[in-house]
Amino acid sequence: AFWDWSEKAYANQRDLTPENFTKWASEAGIDVKKFEKAMKDNDSKYEEILKRDTDLGTSAAQVRGTPSLFVNGWELRQRSVDGVKALIKDKKLEG
């Protein structure tokens, strides 16, 4: 059931809402009452950790979202082999 739920979440990243989490749990055969209780019980537990990680990413690494890719500390905006080659050439990272 975990894999069914997580595949649904990854496939629908623009639709990540508590309502959809519950819907997908039901579709995956997860006990919805236990799922909702676990979500509620753990929400505040992880909120501070997520906030710290988000703040670190946006301040220290200036990451705006995921996925974010870096080559030798430089952000890769064109996510392709040609993009990596262009970044390496542009930043003179060739060995």
Side-chain angles (χ1 to χ4, degrees):
F2 167 80
W3 293 113
D4 290 341
W5 186 93
S6 61
E7 285 175 15
K8 183 70 96 165
Y10 277 105
N12 296 282
Q13 292 185 33
R14 296 198 184 273
D15 299 315
L16 300 177
T17 64
E19 295 80 18
N20 282 337
F21 294 164
T22 300
K23 176 183 162 197
W24 301 334
S26 176
E27 291 171 356
I30 297 169
D31 180 320
V32 172
K33 290 200 182 297
K34 281 185 177 179
F35 179 84
E36 289 176 331
K37 182 177 181 335
M39 290 286 288
K40 183 181 178 205
D41 291 350
N42 288 296
D43 188 42
S44 62
K45 178 178 177 181
Y46 295 107
E47 187 66 31
E48 184 57 34
I49 294 168
L50 292 171
K51 184 177 179 342
R52 260 195 331 262
D53 286 352
T54 301
D55 290 348
L56 178 63
T58 56
S59 64
Q62 297 179 351
V63 172
R64 296 183 314 269
T66 58
S68 292
L69 304 174
F70 292 83
V71 175
N72 199 27
W74 296 95
E75 183 177 9
L76 177 66
R77 293 183 187 239
Q78 182 186 347
R79 297 178 187 146
S80 67
V81 172
D82 290 336
V84 173
K85 288 178 182 178
L87 180 68
I88 289 170
K89 185 177 178 181
D90 181 55
K91 301 301 181 184
K92 297 177 177 50
L93 301 173
E94 300 173 275

